[in-house]
Amino acid sequence: MFKILRARLFQGYRTGKFPYAKPNLPAHFHGYPILDAAKLTQETIENCPVDAIKLSGGSATLDLGRCIFCGKCAEHSDAVLFTNEYRMGTMSRDGLIVNGIPSKADSAKAEGIRRLCGRSLKIRQVSAGGCAACELDFNVLHTLAWDMGRFGIQAVASPRHADALLVTGPVTKNMLTALKKTYDAMPKPCFVIVSGACAISGGLYRDQAETMNGVESVLPVDCYVPGCPPHPAVLLDALLRFIGSQAVAPKE
Amino acid sequence: MNEFLFCTNHTFFARQAVPLHDFPVFRSLLLREVPNHEVAAFFAVPEQDEFFLYAALLNPEKHGLDVCSTKVGKSYPALTPELPALSWFERELFEQYRIEPIGHPRLKPLRFQSALNGTDNQRPEAGAAQYFTMQGTSVHEVAVGPVHAGVIELGHFRFQCMGEDVYSLEIELGYQHRGIEKMLEHGPDKKSAFLAETAAGDSSIAASLCYHRILEAAQDIRIPARAQALRQAALELERIANHIGDSGALSGDVAFLPTASYCGRIRGDFLNITAELSGNRFGRNYIATGGVRYDVSDDTAGKLLAKVNAGEKELMNALDLMFDEPSVLDRFENTGTVSEETARQIGMTGMAARASGLKRDLRISLGSPEFPEHLRQCASGRTGDVLARAAIRRDELEDSLAIVKKILSALPEGKCSENHADSVVLPADSMIFSLEEAWRGMLVHAAVTDSNGKFLRYKIIDPSFHNWGGLEMALRDQQISDFPICNKSFNLSYCGHDL
């Protein structure tokens, strides 16, 4: 008993300051990219492993829904520059298309969600393929370092208790039925959040025989969180804006 | 003709150099060698209507692998009845190429996938398999998954129970199957490295090491000492983060919350150290052909060393609490025991095998450790229960922390990456084995090239592939309520198995 208390004192209070202060992001963090169409070469476009960059009629776009943030495009050219902007989650698929203009952290559906869920959100997470890294960094939000429960966000065991489904992975053919059944078991109205390039677009596994091209081909999606996997700060920021939390991101 | 071709890790050799035996000879060789040697790989390469079967066994005495082959048609007499370690391999042959091992006792799908050679596109329905069942008034069946109550991956578990006691557990996977091996065929291309890396997200460093060592072998690149050290540090940091997470999760599963809470946070601190090196908490894209993508300044290395030191103190404090708590030890001890004999028979690998007393560690058996003095023979005197799998994590954490600290405190001078050509031409009609001791155990990438130097076949064998059977065995005669801690004590990868 005393040993446990002593350990408690030794370990201290360690919940991070985010979202009340900026998150501690690593030096080589790849956040929201800035795109310079004039400097973009065909080689850079073709080298993208997930074909996220498009150039048509002089205007370039980078699809964050496909991007795995590997940084290949920024390595040999300065047409793409990855900033440390972590507020990348959006409430629409179009919002993920980067065209050179800085991101606007939207929270378009907040009003409706606040009315329905009263600022709390119970999430049923379903892996639908993928490499499990997205699940791991969602799990991390439950640890005391991030303490997602403070904001009324919590993962629940049963879809019947859930307001939202958080799906990771490209949706493998083998998971199609189980994913649909989980969604059907949720009381409506409910929301679908997709986390990671796989779940948004199929990611690395796009256009393959064994997978679907992301969740949108199966279920309606309300919130998109890009990354491979999304950093916990990217995911938590998106969830907070999604529910219209007061604790949204710090002032510049 | 030699019985086997001996090859070292990360070395190309001509396919023709592999001894090709008639099946009865091949069979007798395996019957003689498999009981005492780890099976690194057993897979098929199609050629017209026939199939080459390649078997690669670890040779720890000579620090390499022994490889032999045979040729079969649509079927052959199964080896599993004599060699249970080959059971999942033979199921895989059956599923990937419809080669039937006649007499296999549990021949059913592993991943519910289409055949790789495209002759048969009948997809079996996921999970629809013949399960072992029991009849009787006091018998009941529990079916769990693929979607589980927690935030975890997908799998289906069938328990045959008598009251609270589990008579048999059967595990069906495949829900995460994305077709990675198929996608890697005809590579290497711009996607290959990322596909290999994401076979299992929590083992990204080990997987990308396996992959890039293949490309480096093709170009005969010598890795600078500094890059070698940084790679080793990243690999050990991956082991550390996962072992910490599992220790905490084990504690949480027996409702001892202090250690669970602290470890959850400390794991994150170590992921963040990996992120400082690589930009990503899982070390994505850190390993590059020729070395590592980012160098570290002396200043950063010093800061990271300080973080490792601080993290170690907090970690040991958290683990002490758990290992001093009688109620925790009582739940761990004699729960989910896998005997050394069983572990050997079914061919378990890595940390779980060592917890059952088998001395299996590629860092030692392939003679690759840069820091042998820090690797204790973790296997001696282990009991094979949940307690053993918890305790071995603690010992391995100490070893890996010592390695990381040593690397960060004295990084070799020089560059962090060797120059290399952008497009790689692999030796034609060749094979290579690239192995790493990932945190769960032996991770194998085997590549076979065609006449154009492209991947004809890229075989990935995750350590979990060997160990899922161990979890099935661990549950026998246990209470069903012990399933969560048994499962967590292995913490196997679903996606690494499913590919």
Coordinates of all heavy atoms in Angstrom, one line a residue, chain B residues 253-318:
Chain B
D253 N -5.1 -6.3 -17.1 CA -6.0 -7.4 -17.3 C -6.2 -8.2 -16.0 O -7.2 -8.9 -15.9 CB -5.4 -8.4 -18.3 CG -5.9 -8.0 -19.7 OD1 -6.8 -7.1 -19.8 OD2 -5.5 -8.6 -20.7
V254 N -5.3 -8.0 -15.0 CA -5.6 -8.6 -13.7 C -6.0 -7.5 -12.7 O -5.9 -7.6 -11.5 CB -4.4 -9.4 -13.1 CG1 -4.2 -10.6 -14.0 CG2 -3.2 -8.6 -13.0
A255 N -6.4 -6.3 -13.2 CA -7.0 -5.2 -12.5 C -6.0 -4.6 -11.5 O -6.4 -4.2 -10.4 CB -8.3 -5.7 -11.7
F256 N -4.7 -4.6 -11.8 CA -3.8 -3.9 -11.0 C -3.4 -2.6 -11.7 O -2.6 -2.6 -12.6 CB -2.5 -4.8 -10.7 CG -1.6 -4.1 -9.8 CD1 -1.9 -3.9 -8.4 CD2 -0.3 -3.7 -10.2 CE1 -1.0 -3.3 -7.6 CE2 0.6 -3.1 -9.3 CZ 0.2 -2.9 -8.0
L257 N -4.1 -1.6 -11.4 CA -4.1 -0.4 -12.3 C -2.9 0.5 -12.2 O -2.6 1.1 -13.2 CB -5.4 0.4 -12.1 CG -6.6 -0.4 -12.4 CD1 -7.9 0.5 -12.3 CD2 -6.6 -1.0 -13.8
P258 N -2.1 0.6 -11.1 CA -1.0 1.5 -11.1 C 0.0 1.2 -12.2 O 0.3 2.1 -13.0 CB -0.4 1.3 -9.7 CG -1.4 0.8 -8.9 CD -2.3 0.0 -9.8
T259 N 0.4 0.0 -12.3 CA 1.4 -0.4 -13.3 C 0.8 -0.2 -14.7 O 1.5 0.3 -15.7 CB 1.9 -1.8 -13.2 OG1 2.4 -1.9 -11.8 CG2 3.0 -2.2 -14.2
A260 N -0.5 -0.5 -14.9 CA -1.1 -0.4 -16.2 C -1.1 1.1 -16.6 O -0.7 1.4 -17.7 CB -2.6 -0.9 -16.1
S261 N -1.4 2.0 -15.7 CA -1.4 3.4 -16.0 C 0.0 3.9 -16.4 O 0.2 4.6 -17.4 CB -2.0 4.2 -14.9 OG -3.2 3.8 -14.5
Y262 N 0.9 3.6 -15.5 CA 2.3 4.1 -15.7 C 2.9 3.6 -17.0 O 3.5 4.3 -17.8 CB 3.2 3.8 -14.5 CG 2.7 4.3 -13.2 CD1 2.8 3.6 -12.0 CD2 2.1 5.6 -13.1 CE1 2.4 4.1 -10.8 CE2 1.6 6.1 -11.9 CZ 1.7 5.3 -10.8 OH 1.3 5.8 -9.6
C263 N 2.7 2.3 -17.2 CA 3.3 1.7 -18.5 C 2.7 2.3 -19.7 O 3.4 2.5 -20.7 CB 3.2 0.2 -18.4 SG 4.4 -0.6 -17.3
G264 N 1.4 2.5 -19.7 CA 0.7 3.1 -20.8 C 1.4 4.4 -21.2 O 1.6 4.7 -22.4
R265 N 1.7 5.2 -20.2 CA 2.3 6.5 -20.5 C 3.8 6.4 -20.9 O 4.3 7.0 -21.8 CB 2.2 7.4 -19.2 CG 2.6 8.8 -19.4 CD 4.0 9.2 -19.0 NE 4.2 8.8 -17.6 CZ 5.4 8.7 -17.0 NH1 6.4 9.0 -17.7 NH2 5.5 8.4 -15.7
I266 N 4.5 5.5 -20.2 CA 5.9 5.3 -20.4 C 6.2 4.7 -21.8 O 7.1 5.1 -22.5 CB 6.6 4.4 -19.3 CG1 6.4 5.1 -18.0 CG2 8.1 4.2 -19.6 CD1 6.8 4.2 -16.8
R267 N 5.3 3.8 -22.3 CA 5.4 3.3 -23.6 C 5.4 4.5 -24.6 O 6.2 4.5 -25.6 CB 4.2 2.4 -23.9 CG 4.1 2.0 -25.4 CD 3.0 1.0 -25.7 NE 2.7 0.9 -27.1 CZ 1.9 1.6 -27.8 NH1 1.2 2.6 -27.2 NH2 1.8 1.4 -29.1
G268 N 4.4 5.4 -24.4 CA 4.3 6.6 -25.3 C 5.6 7.4 -25.3 O 6.1 7.9 -26.3
D269 N 6.3 7.5 -24.1 CA 7.5 8.3 -24.0 C 8.6 7.6 -24.9 O 9.4 8.3 -25.6 CB 8.1 8.3 -22.6 CG 7.2 9.2 -21.7 OD1 6.3 9.9 -22.3 OD2 7.3 9.1 -20.5
F270 N 8.6 6.3 -24.9 CA 9.6 5.6 -25.8 C 9.2 5.7 -27.3 O 10.1 5.8 -28.1 CB 9.8 4.2 -25.3 CG 10.8 4.1 -24.2 CD1 10.3 4.1 -22.9 CD2 12.1 4.0 -24.4 CE1 11.2 4.1 -21.8 CE2 13.0 4.0 -23.3 CZ 12.6 4.0 -22.0
L271 N 7.9 5.7 -27.6 CA 7.5 5.9 -29.0 C 8.0 7.3 -29.4 O 8.4 7.5 -30.5 CB 6.0 5.7 -29.1 CG 5.4 4.3 -29.0 CD1 3.9 4.4 -29.1 CD2 5.9 3.4 -30.0
N272 N 7.9 8.2 -28.5 CA 8.3 9.6 -28.8 C 9.8 9.7 -29.1 O 10.2 10.5 -29.8 CB 7.8 10.6 -27.8 CG 6.3 10.8 -27.8 OD1 5.7 10.5 -28.8 ND2 5.7 11.2 -26.7
I273 N 10.6 8.8 -28.4 CA 12.0 8.8 -28.6 C 12.3 8.3 -30.1 O 13.0 8.9 -30.8 CB 12.7 7.9 -27.6 CG1 12.6 8.6 -26.2 CG2 14.2 7.7 -28.0 CD1 13.2 7.8 -25.1
T274 N 11.6 7.2 -30.4 CA 11.6 6.8 -31.8 C 11.2 7.9 -32.8 O 11.9 8.1 -33.8 CB 10.7 5.5 -32.1 OG1 11.1 4.5 -31.1 CG2 10.8 5.0 -33.5
A275 N 10.2 8.6 -32.4 CA 9.7 9.7 -33.3 C 10.8 10.8 -33.4 O 10.9 11.4 -34.5 CB 8.4 10.3 -32.7
E276 N 11.5 11.0 -32.3 CA 12.6 12.1 -32.4 C 13.7 11.6 -33.4 O 14.3 12.4 -34.1 CB 13.3 12.3 -31.0 CG 12.4 13.1 -30.1 CD 12.0 14.5 -30.7 OE1 12.8 15.1 -31.4 OE2 10.9 15.0 -30.4
L277 N 13.9 10.3 -33.5 CA 14.9 9.8 -34.5 C 14.4 9.9 -35.9 O 15.1 10.3 -36.8 CB 15.3 8.4 -34.2 CG 16.1 8.0 -33.0 CD1 16.2 6.5 -32.8 CD2 17.5 8.6 -33.1
S278 N 13.1 9.6 -36.0 CA 12.5 9.3 -37.4 C 11.4 10.2 -37.8 O 11.1 10.1 -39.0 CB 12.0 7.8 -37.4 OG 10.9 7.7 -36.5
G279 N 10.8 10.9 -36.9 CA 9.6 11.7 -37.3 C 8.3 11.0 -37.1 O 7.3 11.6 -37.2
N280 N 8.4 9.7 -36.9 CA 7.2 8.9 -36.7 C 7.3 8.0 -35.5 O 8.3 7.4 -35.3 CB 7.0 8.1 -38.0 CG 5.7 7.3 -38.0 OD1 5.6 6.3 -37.2 ND2 4.7 7.6 -38.8
R281 N 6.2 7.9 -34.8 CA 6.2 7.1 -33.5 C 6.5 5.6 -33.7 O 6.9 4.9 -32.8 CB 4.9 7.3 -32.7 CG 4.8 8.7 -32.1 CD 3.4 9.1 -31.8 NE 2.7 8.2 -31.0 CZ 2.6 8.1 -29.7 NH1 3.2 9.0 -29.0 NH2 1.8 7.3 -29.1
F282 N 6.2 5.1 -34.9 CA 6.5 3.7 -35.2 C 7.8 3.6 -36.1 O 8.0 2.5 -36.6 CB 5.3 3.1 -35.9 CG 4.1 3.1 -35.0 CD1 3.2 4.2 -35.1 CD2 3.9 2.1 -34.1 CE1 2.1 4.2 -34.3 CE2 2.7 2.1 -33.3 CZ 1.8 3.2 -33.4
G283 N 8.5 4.7 -36.3 CA 9.7 4.6 -37.1 C 9.5 4.4 -38.5 O 10.3 3.9 -39.3
R284 N 8.3 4.7 -39.0 CA 8.0 4.6 -40.4 C 9.0 5.3 -41.3 O 9.3 6.5 -41.0 CB 6.6 5.2 -40.7 CG 5.4 4.4 -40.3 CD 5.3 3.2 -41.3 NE 4.6 2.1 -40.6 CZ 3.3 2.1 -40.5 NH1 2.6 3.1 -40.9 NH2 2.7 1.1 -39.9
N285 N 9.4 4.6 -42.3 CA 10.3 5.2 -43.3 C 11.6 5.7 -42.8 O 12.2 6.6 -43.4 CB 9.5 6.4 -43.9 CG 9.9 6.8 -45.3 OD1 10.5 5.9 -46.0 ND2 9.7 8.0 -45.7
Y286 N 12.0 5.2 -41.6 CA 13.3 5.7 -41.0 C 14.4 4.9 -41.7 O 15.4 5.4 -42.0 CB 13.3 5.4 -39.5 CG 14.5 5.8 -38.8 CD1 15.1 7.0 -38.9 CD2 15.2 4.8 -38.0 CE1 16.3 7.4 -38.2 CE2 16.4 5.2 -37.3 CZ 16.9 6.4 -37.4 OH 18.0 6.8 -36.8
I287 N 14.2 3.6 -41.8 CA 15.2 2.8 -42.5 C 15.2 3.0 -44.0 O 14.1 3.0 -44.6 CB 15.0 1.3 -42.2 CG1 14.7 1.0 -40.7 CG2 16.1 0.4 -42.7 CD1 15.8 1.2 -39.8
A288 N 16.4 3.3 -44.5 CA 16.4 3.5 -46.0 C 17.5 2.6 -46.5 O 18.4 2.1 -45.8 CB 16.8 5.0 -46.2
T289 N 17.4 2.3 -47.8 CA 18.4 1.5 -48.4 C 19.8 2.3 -48.2 O 19.9 3.4 -48.6 CB 18.2 1.3 -49.9 OG1 16.9 0.7 -50.0 CG2 19.2 0.4 -50.5
G290 N 20.7 1.6 -47.6 CA 22.0 2.3 -47.4 C 22.2 2.8 -46.0 O 23.3 3.1 -45.6
G291 N 21.2 2.9 -45.2 CA 21.3 3.4 -43.8 C 20.1 3.8 -43.2 O 19.1 3.1 -43.2
V292 N 20.1 5.0 -42.6 CA 18.8 5.6 -42.1 C 18.6 6.9 -42.7 O 19.5 7.6 -43.2 CB 18.9 5.7 -40.5 CG1 19.0 4.3 -39.9 CG2 20.0 6.6 -40.1
R293 N 17.3 7.4 -42.6 CA 17.0 8.6 -43.3 C 17.5 9.9 -42.7 O 17.8 10.8 -43.3 CB 15.4 8.7 -43.5 CG 15.0 9.6 -44.6 CD 13.5 9.3 -44.9 NE 13.4 7.9 -45.4 CZ 13.6 7.6 -46.7 NH1 13.9 8.4 -47.6 NH2 13.4 6.3 -47.0
Y294 N 17.5 9.9 -41.3 CA 17.9 11.1 -40.6 C 19.1 10.8 -39.7 O 19.1 9.8 -39.0 CB 16.7 11.6 -39.8 CG 15.5 11.9 -40.5 CD1 14.4 11.1 -40.4 CD2 15.4 13.0 -41.4 CE1 13.2 11.4 -41.1 CE2 14.2 13.2 -42.1 CZ 13.1 12.4 -42.0 OH 12.0 12.7 -42.6
D295 N 20.0 11.7 -39.7 CA 21.1 11.6 -38.8 C 20.7 12.3 -37.5 O 19.7 13.0 -37.4 CB 22.4 12.3 -39.3 CG 23.6 11.8 -38.7 OD1 23.5 11.0 -37.7 OD2 24.7 12.1 -39.2
V296 N 21.4 12.0 -36.4 CA 21.1 12.8 -35.1 C 22.3 13.6 -34.7 O 23.5 13.1 -34.9 CB 20.7 11.9 -33.9 CG1 19.4 11.3 -34.1 CG2 21.8 10.8 -33.7
S297 N 22.1 14.8 -34.2 CA 23.2 15.6 -33.8 C 23.6 15.1 -32.4 O 22.9 14.3 -31.7 CB 22.8 17.1 -33.6 OG 21.8 17.2 -32.6
D298 N 24.8 15.4 -32.0 CA 25.3 15.0 -30.6 C 24.4 15.5 -29.6 O 24.1 14.9 -28.6 CB 26.7 15.5 -30.4 CG 27.7 14.8 -31.3 OD1 27.4 13.8 -31.9 OD2 28.9 15.3 -31.4
D299 N 23.9 16.7 -29.8 CA 23.0 17.4 -28.8 C 21.7 16.6 -28.7 O 21.3 16.2 -27.6 CB 22.7 18.8 -29.4 CG 21.8 19.5 -28.4 OD1 22.1 19.5 -27.2 OD2 20.9 20.2 -28.8
T300 N 21.1 16.2 -29.8 CA 19.9 15.4 -29.8 C 20.2 14.0 -29.1 O 19.4 13.6 -28.3 CB 19.3 15.2 -31.2 OG1 19.3 16.4 -31.8 CG2 18.0 14.5 -31.2
A301 N 21.3 13.4 -29.5 CA 21.6 12.1 -29.0 C 21.7 12.2 -27.4 O 21.2 11.3 -26.7 CB 22.9 11.5 -29.6
G302 N 22.3 13.3 -26.9 CA 22.4 13.5 -25.5 C 21.1 13.6 -24.9 O 20.8 13.0 -23.8
K303 N 20.2 14.4 -25.5 CA 18.8 14.6 -25.0 C 18.1 13.3 -24.9 O 17.3 13.0 -24.0 CB 18.1 15.6 -25.8 CG 18.5 17.1 -25.5 CD 17.6 18.0 -26.3 CE 18.2 19.4 -26.1 NZ 17.9 20.3 -27.2
L304 N 18.2 12.5 -26.0 CA 17.5 11.2 -26.1 C 18.0 10.3 -25.0 O 17.2 9.6 -24.4 CB 17.6 10.6 -27.5 CG 16.9 11.4 -28.6 CD1 17.0 10.6 -29.9 CD2 15.4 11.6 -28.2
L305 N 19.3 10.3 -24.8 CA 19.9 9.4 -23.8 C 19.3 9.8 -22.4 O 19.0 8.9 -21.6 CB 21.4 9.6 -23.8 CG 22.2 8.7 -22.8 CD1 21.9 7.3 -23.0 CD2 23.7 9.1 -22.8
A306 N 19.2 11.1 -22.1 CA 18.6 11.5 -20.9 C 17.2 11.1 -20.7 O 16.7 10.6 -19.6 CB 18.7 13.1 -20.8
K307 N 16.4 11.1 -21.8 CA 15.0 10.6 -21.8 C 15.0 9.1 -21.5 O 14.1 8.6 -20.8 CB 14.3 10.9 -23.1 CG 13.9 12.4 -23.3 CD 13.1 12.6 -24.5 CE 12.7 14.1 -24.6 NZ 12.0 14.4 -25.9
V308 N 15.9 8.4 -22.2 CA 15.9 6.9 -21.9 C 16.2 6.6 -20.5 O 15.6 5.8 -19.8 CB 17.0 6.2 -22.9 CG1 17.2 4.8 -22.5 CG2 16.6 6.4 -24.3
N309 N 17.2 7.4 -19.9 CA 17.6 7.1 -18.5 C 16.4 7.4 -17.6 O 16.1 6.7 -16.7 CB 18.7 8.0 -18.1 CG 20.1 7.4 -18.6 OD1 20.3 6.2 -18.5 ND2 21.0 8.3 -19.1
A310 N 15.7 8.6 -17.9 CA 14.6 8.9 -17.0 C 13.4 7.9 -17.2 O 12.8 7.4 -16.2 CB 14.1 10.3 -17.4
G311 N 13.2 7.5 -18.4 CA 12.1 6.5 -18.7 C 12.4 5.2 -18.0 O 11.5 4.5 -17.5
E312 N 13.7 4.8 -18.0 CA 14.1 3.5 -17.4 C 13.8 3.5 -15.9 O 13.2 2.6 -15.4 CB 15.6 3.3 -17.6 CG 16.0 1.9 -17.0 CD 17.5 1.6 -17.3 OE1 18.3 2.5 -17.6 OE2 17.8 0.4 -17.2
K313 N 14.1 4.6 -15.2 CA 13.8 4.7 -13.8 C 12.3 4.6 -13.5 O 11.9 3.8 -12.6 CB 14.3 6.0 -13.2 CG 15.8 6.1 -13.0 CD 16.2 7.2 -12.0 CE 17.7 7.4 -12.0 NZ 18.1 8.2 -13.2
E314 N 11.5 5.3 -14.3 CA 10.1 5.2 -14.1 C 9.5 3.9 -14.4 O 8.6 3.4 -13.7 CB 9.4 6.3 -14.9 CG 9.7 7.7 -14.4 CD 9.4 8.8 -15.4 OE1 9.1 8.5 -16.6 OE2 9.6 10.0 -15.0
L315 N 10.1 3.3 -15.4 CA 9.6 2.0 -15.9 C 9.9 0.9 -14.8 O 9.0 0.1 -14.4 CB 10.3 1.6 -17.2 CG 10.1 0.1 -17.6 CD1 8.6 -0.1 -18.0 CD2 10.9 -0.2 -18.8
M316 N 11.1 0.9 -14.3 CA 11.5 -0.1 -13.3 C 10.7 0.1 -12.0 O 10.3 -0.9 -11.4 CB 13.0 0.0 -13.0 CG 13.8 -0.5 -14.2 SD 13.3 -2.1 -14.8 CE 13.9 -2.1 -16.5
N317 N 10.4 1.3 -11.7 CA 9.5 1.6 -10.5 C 8.1 1.0 -10.8 O 7.6 0.4 -9.9 CB 9.4 3.1 -10.3 CG 8.4 3.6 -9.3 OD1 7.3 3.7 -9.6 ND2 8.9 3.7 -8.0
A318 N 7.6 1.2 -12.0 CA 6.3 0.7 -12.3 C 6.3 -0.8 -12.3 O 5.3 -1.5 -11.8 CB 5.8 1.2 -13.6

